[in-house]
Amino acid sequence: MHEFYDLVSKSDWIGGDSYYSYLEEAGSYWFNAMTPNGILINNTIIMEKTQEFLDYVLDNQDSTGWLGPEVGTDKPRFLWGRYPFFFGAIQMVEYNPKLTERVVSALHKFVKLANEMLRRNEGVDDWAATRWEDFVIVLQWLHDFHPRGEEELLVDTMKRLKWSGVPWEKVFSEEYFPTGPVENLTNPFGMELSWHGVNMAEGLKALPATYRFTHNRSDIDAANLAWDLMFQYHGRPSGAYAADEMLAGLEAVRGTELCLVVEAMLSGSYLYQVIGDLKYADRVERMTYNALPATITADMWGRQYLQQQNQVAAKNMSPNPFPEDGPYSNVFGLEPNYPCCTVNFPQGWPKFITNAFLKADNGKGLVQLYLGPFNVETTLAGDNLVKISVETLYPFDDILNTTITATKPFMYYIRVPSWVVGGSMSLNDGAQIALTPDEETGLMAVAVDEGETIISMHFPAEITIEQRPHGSIAIHRGPLNYAFDIPRSEKIIAQDPLEPHAVDLQLEPTAAWEYALDADPATMSFHNEANLSDRYILPSPIFDSGKPPVSIVVSACPIDWPLGGDMFVTSPPENPECVGKVSKIRLVPFGATRLRISEFPVFSGESKELEGIVDADRIFRQIPLSL
């Protein structure tokens, strides 16, 4: 994007003239997202570009303390657009401590100005009023690590931000929380944006952030309730929740914004770190391995604005199924509908990775929170240098082999997900023993000696059925939601003149997708075709049709299932009759699909099963999908 996309390459944050709204978030979103990307993959060019961005903004901080593209202009000054920039700057300091003095001085200077503005009721528009918690977290970083004697001012600013903003403890209360789509409801707070999906994803951080300076247990209780209400009334099998701009209920055809997914992932990580409840980590991992990759093309050159749990086409729809968003919202492209997700979604993967390991026991111990093929090097308390390498195909396999080298003994904690059934582990090639995670935390404690330690974990899971609206079901195993991958055609309907990879794709089905399932898990079988001789090698990219080695074979029959328009599917029919014989179909990980059914009707009655499998992978191999 820094080469061809005007909102980045010509951003007014770095002296250009490109921006998409008065919110001034395009440049800061990109900076926040690409800083960890560049660091994690050690990409020199990206790191140079983010450093140039940081230098320009700090060099142009004005005498009042203001930071951003409004300096030297008559543009209105609102606080929100700075918060992603602050997050990015903090990450740069954590990576390169030589930047500490410069960044921390600039932030303290801005805080003084922000406090004055809040006292004068300035700088808070409706967006800043819903996203105040992000600034609170920045202030808490300063308070924890670089207070410079300004603790009182920092806490006062935190409190004023809360007073200036949406009362999330009320929005997320049982009294006021919407239990279905909100387009025909009146917002009791007079601020429609408090029901905005992305605002709520960020707002999930508000109550744990508030708890850090109020120490009121009621804030923790409210944060737990907020999470539960959100996913009870709007949650999706992919791990995310439905909000096609505003909260959208449980219908499988309604949309989920990509910005919502990455912000909810980050909020879930923060909630876990403050509260320690396993449910947050489990949900974040489900979002990360399902909802996030499903809404991005495998090569990451295209993304949707909205994904659907049941998505039988991606095109300009008529009539429009999204009450608040345009009919182009589920097209895969550079900038379908709104541009915010283009510059914001790249934070998803790296911030999941950077939150995968956490220090514990006052810095003496280490927690492996998220599971995947990670490497980490850190220094624990007492100058204990620790290096960890996790070899695994997870989430496409149940085995994780972790090699640890440490200069001193320490306690290592591994999250055991709630879906693990009958797990086991071995230490240094010793005997397999049953997992005994702490009942409250879900963490398995392993005492690690100095030198090298090898931990082998086996995290098996069962196929589980989730009940969904209209008598439909969703299928899970472990962290993965499974879906029928609808064979598709791809048509380029737009192309960026400066970058041939940046195309808008219209996707349409090329084979039947109207299936009902037998809901009995006993009729379902899990298959893993990973090559055991190359245990830690997967195709790259992995989240694409025919690439994951895992699948679930289920019994299904064709049914009548009408469309709701051109071209989206109606709600799953209840108790449908089969219009053909029962056969076997193969379900694959949700994140590898672009068109899919993942909330299935359930058929009743008996039919003779046909031999063979309706296998979307085989159908795909017969269809040219190149651009």
Side-chain angles (χ1 to χ4, degrees):
M1 285 189 281
H2 64 263
E3 294 178 347
F4 76 96
Y5 191 47
D6 282 358
L7 290 174
V8 176
S9 62
K10 299 178 182 178
S11 170
D12 59 355
W13 275 83
I14 51 174
D17 58 5
S18 182
Y19 62 99
Y20 62 73
S21 84
Y22 78 93
L23 296 175
E24 292 291 0
E25 61 191 9
S28 57
Y29 265 152
W30 174 86
F31 175 69
N32 175 43
M34 295 312 294
T35 291
N37 270 289
I39 293 169
L40 288 172
I41 65 173
N42 195 28
N43 186 291
T44 301
I45 294 176
I46 293 176
M47 288 195 287
E48 287 176 352
K49 290 296 179 181
T50 52
Q51 184 66 53
E52 290 172 7
F53 193 102
L54 178 72
D55 289 341
Y56 186 94
V57 176
L58 297 185
D59 287 345
N60 287 275
Q61 184 172 28
D62 72 12
S63 60
T64 70
W66 189 259
L67 290 160
E70 300 85 356
V71 171
T73 75
D74 59 359
K75 293 180 180 179
R77 295 187 171 189
F78 295 105
L79 292 169
W80 147 245
R82 271 113 287 281
Y83 305 165
F85 168 76
F86 296 160
F87 282 166
I90 287 171
Q91 292 170 100
M92 293 192 76
V93 168
E94 291 175 339
Y95 172 69
N96 181 7
K98 293 180 181 178
L99 297 172
T100 302
E101 170 62 30
R102 193 161 178 240
V103 169
V104 170
S105 295
L107 292 180
H108 273 289
K109 189 175 180 181
F110 183 87
V111 170
K112 290 183 174 65
L113 171 64
N115 187 275
E116 294 169 3
M117 293 175 68
L118 291 168
R119 289 173 181 271
R120 299 192 298 262
N121 296 317
E122 295 175 358
V124 179
D125 70 331
D126 287 351
W127 296 92
T130 59
R131 300 182 177 187
W132 55 266
E133 56 280 346
D134 283 10
F135 195 13
V136 169
I137 291 172
V138 173
L139 297 170
Q140 291 177 352
W141 180 80
L142 288 172
H143 190 282
D144 291 343
F145 302 108
H146 308 284
R148 294 190 175 179
E150 297 289 353
E151 289 89 345
E152 185 176 342
L153 175 67
L154 291 167
V155 173
D156 182 72
T157 309
M158 296 176 206
K159 294 177 179 178
R160 291 183 184 279
L161 284 163
K162 177 175 172 55
W163 296 337
S164 74
V166 168
W168 286 116
E169 66 277 7
K170 294 183 179 179
V171 174
F172 286 121
S173 68
E174 290 183 288
E175 179 181 1
Y176 294 112
F177 190 80
T179 59
V182 301
E183 56 264 20
N184 296 318
L185 302 179
T186 300
N187 189 294
F189 307 102
M191 186 178 291
E192 185 177 311
L193 288 179
S194 66
W195 285 344
H196 182 270
V198 181
N199 290 343
M200 300 189 89
E202 295 187 46
L204 289 166
K205 295 193 295 289
L207 294 164
T210 300
Y211 168 75
R212 291 205 61 213
F213 62 82
T214 66
H215 309 292
N216 292 333
R217 178 67 203 186
S218 61
D219 288 331
I220 295 299
D221 295 339
N224 276 314
L225 177 62
W227 190 264
D228 294 343
L229 290 173
M230 181 63 81
F231 294 104
Q232 176 182 353
Y233 293 111
H234 305 275
R236 306 204 130 176
S238 65
Y241 59 89
D244 32 31
E245 217 63 31
M246 305 298 170
L247 284 180
L250 296 173
E251 291 291 338
V253 74
R254 296 295 293 267
T256 293
E257 185 179 337
L258 178 50
C259 279
L260 179 162
V261 176
V262 297
E263 296 292 356
M265 286 166 53
L266 182 61
S267 289
S269 292
Y270 182 77
L271 280 154
Y272 178 84
Q273 290 164 25
V274 175
I275 299 175
D277 194 318
L278 188 65
K279 70 181 180 184
Y280 299 116
D282 281 355
R283 175 70 65 168
V284 169
E285 203 167 272
R286 193 175 292 283
M287 277 188 264
T288 303
Y289 290 136
N290 296 279
L292 178 58
T295 196
I296 309 166
T297 56
D299 63 6
M300 298 184 77
W301 274 101
R303 59 85 181 169
Q304 294 175 294
Y305 186 69
L306 301 176
Q307 66 174 281
Q308 297 161 294
Q309 199 74 25
N310 284 352
Q311 183 170 288
V312 300
K315 61 184 294 186
N316 199 14
M317 298 185 185
S318 179
N320 177 17
F322 309 122
E324 302 282 347
D325 284 318
Y328 203 74
S329 294
N330 78 346
V331 167
F332 287 87
L334 174 65
E335 192 183 285
N337 207 32
Y338 296 115
C340 54
C341 293
T342 305
V343 284
N344 191 28
F345 92 81
Q347 74 164 296
W349 290 114
K351 292 196 176 185
F352 173 72
I353 293 167
T354 56
N355 283 285
F357 289 84
L358 309 170
K359 290 183 178 179
D361 302 335
N362 295 317
K364 297 178 182 178
L366 197 65
V367 176
Q368 183 183 344
L369 181 63
Y370 298 132
L371 307 180
F374 303 137
N375 295 289
V376 65
E377 180 177 331
T378 190
T379 301
L380 301 180
D383 294 325
N384 187 7
L385 178 62
V386 174
K387 297 180 181 179
I388 297 172
S389 175
V390 183
E391 292 183 302
T392 183
L393 297 186
Y394 190 93
F396 306 107
D397 196 17
D398 305 333
I399 302 293
L400 295 95
N401 288 322
T402 302
T403 301
I404 304 173
T405 59
T407 56
K408 298 178 182 180
F410 73 100
M411 190 62 71
Y412 191 59
Y413 303 91
I414 305 169
R415 166 178 149 265
V416 179
S418 59
W419 48 71
V420 171
V421 178
S424 62
M425 65 165 283
S426 65
L427 192 64
N428 294 326
D429 296 324
Q432 290 284 325
I433 61 172
L435 294 179
T436 55
D438 182 89
E439 292 185 1
E440 183 177 349
T441 67
L443 299 179
M444 180 75 185
V446 180
V448 173
D449 290 329
E450 65 180 85
E452 183 177 273
T453 302
I454 298 175
I455 305 172
S456 181
M457 309 289 293
H458 184 209
F459 285 165
E462 296 178 345
I463 297 172
T464 58
I465 307 300
E466 178 184 355
Q467 299 298 321
R468 299 298 295 170
H470 310 289
S472 66
I473 60 172
I475 312 298
H476 301 276
R477 185 189 180 277
L480 297 178
N481 176 214
Y482 283 78
F484 181 69
D485 191 4
I486 302 172
R488 64 184 186 264
S489 64
E490 298 185 354
K491 178 182 178 181
I492 296 175
I493 54 178
Q495 187 170 43
D496 188 277
L498 300 178
E499 175 48 70
H501 291 94
V503 297
D504 285 7
L505 291 175
Q506 175 176 294
L507 311 181
E508 296 192 77
T510 58
W513 49 265
E514 302 94 331
Y515 290 107
L517 301 189
D518 184 337
D520 183 359
T523 66
M524 304 176 183
S525 58
F526 173 72
H527 301 266
N528 190 337
E529 300 175 2
N531 185 344
L532 295 182
S533 62
D534 296 322
R535 187 164 192 89
Y536 305 113
I537 299 176
L538 288 171
S540 182
I542 181 63
F543 288 104
D544 203 2
S545 297
K547 298 297 180 65
V550 292
S551 62
I552 294 177
V553 174
V554 298
S555 297
C557 71
I559 60 171
D560 289 325
W561 190 350
L563 294 173
D566 183 28
M567 176 165 185
F568 57 92
V569 66
T570 53
S571 300
E574 297 189 40
N575 301 313
E577 294 186 3
C578 296
V579 296
K581 292 186 176 181
V582 176
S583 62
K584 295 287 189 179
I585 66 172
R586 189 182 304 275
L587 309 184
V588 301
F590 181 94
T593 67
R594 300 300 171 266
L595 302 184
R596 69 190 75 91
I597 295 295
S598 60
E599 294 189 25
F600 295 90
V602 175
F603 70 81
S604 57
E606 296 183 359
S607 296
K608 182 179 179 181
E609 289 187 1
L610 298 176
E611 294 182 358
I613 298 176
V614 179
D615 190 341
D617 291 353
R618 294 178 190 153
I619 297 173
F620 270 116
R621 288 193 284 269
Q622 299 169 11
I623 300 173
L625 293 177
S626 64
L627 299 180

